[in-house]
Amino acid sequence: MSYQRINKSIINIKNKNSNIYKSCNNCFTRKRKMEFTDYVWYLIMQKGKTTSMELDEYLKNKNGTYKISISKQAFSKQRQNLKPEIFIDIYKDYLIDFYSNYLEEVNTFKGYHVCAIDGSLFEIPNTETLREEYKTQKNSSGNRESARARVSGLYDVENGFMLDALIKDCSKGEKELAKENIENVSKILDLQNCIIIFDRGYPGIDLIWYLEKLKIKYIFRLQTKMYDREKTLMKAEDEWIDLKVDGDRLRKITDEKVKKELKSQKMLKVRMSKIILDTGEIEYLLSNISENIILPTEMKETYFKRWQIEIGYDILKNKLHLENFTGRTKITIEQDFYAQIYTFNVLQDIKNTNTKRIQEKHLDKNLKYKYKVNINILAGWLKNILIAVMFTDDGNEKEELYNIIVEKAEKNLIAIKPNRTNIRKPYTSGRNKYRTNLRNNM
């Protein structure tokens, strides 16, 4: 149950060794109004208000009075001493606990963890320092350049967790970041028990070979002109083919070791599937998954599970307002980013627990649709309740506070309507939605 995991996580955060996560020996040693753990929780619990208001509210929850305060200048200076790695470890600890100790709650597809990898450009404050740190991206018309960060995530589509997330400069290649995601997730899941789904920007021969060596099952969506030779030789809509490793396919590989390995292989045996979209367009999928696991008729539906990572990014950007960063340095960008990945996973865990409860309650009712938790309502209440949970040691009070979230979830449901489609909005203006000097005062 999510309540048990949240409670364990709160204890875990309180017990973290501050010496590992501070940038100097003298940091966080003196008795202050805000100590090491306060900085961790404050950054997790931010709601998008001004720093002054956030600090006043946090200290009121901690001390029961508005009389104790700290200046935003003192706070901003001290937070520079907190390494962002603490938030990475916190959200990874949470996931390891879930996948190791709650197997009965882990959703799989035919016994496999179905995951999706995708990248996204995130807005960051368009300062000179961050333009140098994260590089810049031109808008669609080419008349504006703004600082942007490249985010790459590996997402469990069956359970809704962001298993790994990276925030790097926007010049980083998606395939290299995907490999880093995969290596990081190997500490959480058995990769050979995973199916990883990729969109059209990924299926280079080198990444396919990387996955083959690790014995990871994959599905790629191919670009229109990609592997045309093999497409034209297909005799059926789903068959195993020999993917040749020669010519330009080798020349594009920069890693000489990988190039040598592939040259000796000469070809890779892969499965190619021709699918027809609802629009009538023809697409091709490339995989290494046996028909005993995924039937030809199931391949299209399995690939489109990938859409869940798009929903995950939407929650991060538009429900948790992750792009509303609170600082203008690389360390503050990383603190905010990884702190909100933790919050996102807690939010998804609560949603999953309550969606199951709701569907069990509706099991005997003859309803037109199944129902799920309204993530907007849940996101709005989550931080209000969690901060109260954190500041009480009374187990009964903690559970009562958690139950408030459950009650709000059960009163605000939305129908799960089949065959809904969404159109991805392209990146256009280059202007940021958020400015760090115009944060909400309410």
Side-chain angles (χ1 to χ4, degrees), residues 186-326:
S186 68
K187 300 176 180 67
I188 300 170
L189 297 177
D190 177 2
L191 293 175
Q192 294 184 22
N193 199 36
C194 294
I195 296 172
I196 303 181
I197 307 173
F198 299 84
D199 204 9
R200 288 176 284 198
Y202 289 90
I205 202 87
D206 52 338
L207 183 55
I208 294 171
W209 177 237
Y210 171 83
L211 296 167
E212 290 282 358
K213 287 194 295 182
L214 291 176
K215 298 181 180 179
I216 297 173
K217 293 176 175 59
Y218 57 79
I219 303 175
F220 289 98
R221 185 178 184 177
L222 297 181
Q223 295 175 2
T224 305
K225 298 291 185 181
M226 199 165 206
Y227 306 134
D228 269 354
R229 275 184 286 171
E230 287 77 9
K231 289 176 186 175
T232 57
L233 293 173
M234 288 180 69
K235 297 176 182 177
E237 293 190 348
D238 186 281
E239 64 178 273
W240 289 85
I241 62 166
D242 293 324
L243 192 65
K244 290 190 176 180
V245 183
D246 59 9
D248 284 342
R249 293 176 186 176
L250 276 176
R251 281 192 286 273
K252 289 177 181 177
I253 298 171
T254 56
D255 189 317
E256 290 300 323
K257 181 183 176 182
V258 172
K259 186 183 290 188
K260 185 177 179 181
E261 289 173 351
L262 281 166
K263 196 171 183 179
S264 66
Q265 285 292 124
K266 296 185 180 178
M267 62 182 63
L268 299 174
K269 182 71 75 173
V270 295
R271 180 181 175 188
M272 192 173 281
S273 305
K274 179 181 177 182
I275 63 170
I276 301 174
L277 305 182
D278 295 339
T279 60
E281 296 174 86
I282 294 174
E283 293 278 3
Y284 289 86
L285 303 178
L286 196 72
S287 74
N288 63 346
I289 304 171
S290 165
E291 296 91 330
N292 295 328
I293 300 171
I294 299 179
L295 296 169
T297 53
E298 296 174 316
M299 187 60 78
K300 176 182 173 182
E301 183 182 350
T302 305
Y303 170 77
F304 280 105
K305 288 176 179 284
R306 193 202 71 84
W307 183 252
Q308 293 301 315
I309 193 172
E310 303 281 3
I311 295 173
Y313 279 132
D314 178 67
I315 293 169
L316 283 166
K317 289 184 176 186
N318 300 314
K319 310 301 188 291
L320 295 177
H321 307 289
L322 179 47
E323 293 170 304
N324 193 6
F325 289 102
T326 62

Side-chain angles (χ1 to χ4, degrees), residues 44 53 76-77 107 139 141 183 274 282 359 367 407 417 434:
I44 289 170
M53 293 195 72
S76 297
K77 182 179 179 181
N107 296 319
N139 66 349
S141 59
E183 288 168 11
K274 179 181 177 182
I282 294 174
Q359 291 179 354
L367 301 175
E407 290 168 13
K417 296 182 180 180
Y434 304 106

Side-chain angles (χ1 to χ4, degrees), residues 424-439:
R424 178 190 267 184
K425 294 179 181 179
Y427 168 73
T428 53
S429 73
R431 294 184 181 274
N432 284 9
K433 288 185 292 185
Y434 304 106
R435 287 173 58 187
T436 52
N437 61 334
L438 291 177
R439 292 173 68 78

Side-chain angles (χ1 to χ4, degrees), residues 401-419:
L401 288 165
Y402 174 82
N403 286 333
I404 292 173
I405 304 177
V406 174
E407 290 168 13
K408 295 292 179 184
E410 292 188 353
K411 289 177 182 177
N412 296 276
L413 306 179
I414 53 176
I416 304 172
K417 296 182 180 180
N419 303 318

Side-chain angles (χ1 to χ4, degrees), residues 117-129:
I117 286 183
D118 200 11
S120 180
L121 282 178
F122 271 51
E123 291 181 1
I124 56 176
N126 192 27
T127 65
E128 184 177 348
T129 300

